Amino acid sequence: MSETIRVLIPEEEVDKRIRELGEQISKEYEGKQIHLICVLKGGVFFMCELAKRITVPVSMDFMCVGSYGDGTKSSGVVRIAKDLDESIENKEVLIVEDIIDSGNTLYYLMDVLHRRHPASIRLCTLLDKPDRRVKDVKVDYTGFEIPDEFVVGYGLDYAQKYRNLPYIGIVEGVE
């Protein structure tokens, strides 16, 4: 199968928006330390760029949570493949995600993390597809709202390909 990638959000726009998010987060967390939790694998590209633009102290941890596999549609079954390495009790937690569509994964993850008693927990996503939402998830920081298209780049993949694209693109030629 041959896919074509059409640019949806150019690299310059992605960089500019991440810089703006970093400034906003830095202001809102002034005087505090933020504990970033990256949702692997896709979120790592976004989290690294975002962390570089946050001016307050930052610590990081990683989780691998998902419901996709190699397809383009959510399987609906959420599982934790890699849990946190340290406690989040009494920490200012910011979950960093590449994309939110159905909300199933983040709804599950937020519930799991709330039970670990952080001081606060917020959600930052590079991309949001509100038209696909089936679970109500409060997103505190959004890079871009996008249409209901299958996208790749900047950490997002199609069958483990295209994560390394420096822009957000729409995959054409897949169902």
Side-chain angles (χ1 to χ4, degrees):
M1 180 187 295
S2 174
E3 306 93 37
T4 304
I5 310 299
R6 179 171 47 90
V7 176
L8 176 65
I9 306 170
E11 180 177 4
E12 300 76 27
E13 281 185 49
V14 174
D15 288 342
K16 178 179 182 269
R17 184 64 184 129
I18 293 172
R19 190 171 39 258
E20 292 168 351
L21 287 169
E23 290 170 6
Q24 181 184 359
I25 290 165
S26 296
K27 284 179 188 169
E28 292 183 17
Y29 283 92
E30 190 172 336
K32 299 179 180 177
Q33 177 170 327
I34 308 173
H35 189 68
L36 303 178
I37 296 177
C38 176
V39 181
L40 296 171
K41 296 178 186 171
V44 74
F45 289 78
F46 175 44
M47 186 172 87
C48 288
E49 292 303 314
L50 181 64
K52 290 191 294 189
R53 289 160 175 88
I54 294 174
T55 57
V56 299
V58 167
S59 58
M60 298 180 192
D61 207 341
F62 301 87
M63 290 186 87
C64 191
V65 182
S67 62
Y68 275 90
D70 282 344
T72 61
K73 300 242 187 307
S74 173
S75 67
V77 177
V78 179
R79 65 182 188 87
I80 296 177
K82 185 224 175 286
D83 207 338
L84 298 174
D85 291 331
E86 57 187 75
S87 170
I88 60 169
E89 189 168 353
N90 298 318
K91 292 184 180 180
E92 304 289 340
V93 171
L94 181 61
I95 299 171
V96 180
E97 178 65 287
D98 53 0
I99 189 167
I100 302 171
D101 57 27
S102 71
N104 285 328
T105 300
L106 268 295
Y107 185 85
Y108 172 82
L109 182 59
M110 296 288 277
D111 180 56
V112 167
L113 295 179
H114 271 293
R115 288 187 261 135
R116 298 180 185 185
H117 309 290
S120 71
I121 188 165
R122 290 186 174 174
L123 177 57
C124 179
T125 187
L126 180 59
L127 303 174
D128 191 5
K129 287 188 193 178
D131 292 345
R132 300 250 320 155
R133 197 80 82 244
V134 295
K135 292 281 191 182
D136 187 28
V137 176
K138 180 182 185 281
V139 182
D140 300 285
Y141 306 99
T142 302
F144 301 92
E145 279 193 13
I146 62 169
D148 186 12
E149 300 276 359
F150 193 79
V151 292
V152 294
Y154 227 90
L156 296 143
D157 73 299
Y158 170 65
Q160 299 299 324
K161 297 183 293 187
Y162 309 117
R163 286 188 195 278
N164 61 319
L165 296 176
Y167 57 85
I168 304 300
I170 294 174
V171 179
E172 297 177 332
V174 297
E175 295 185 17

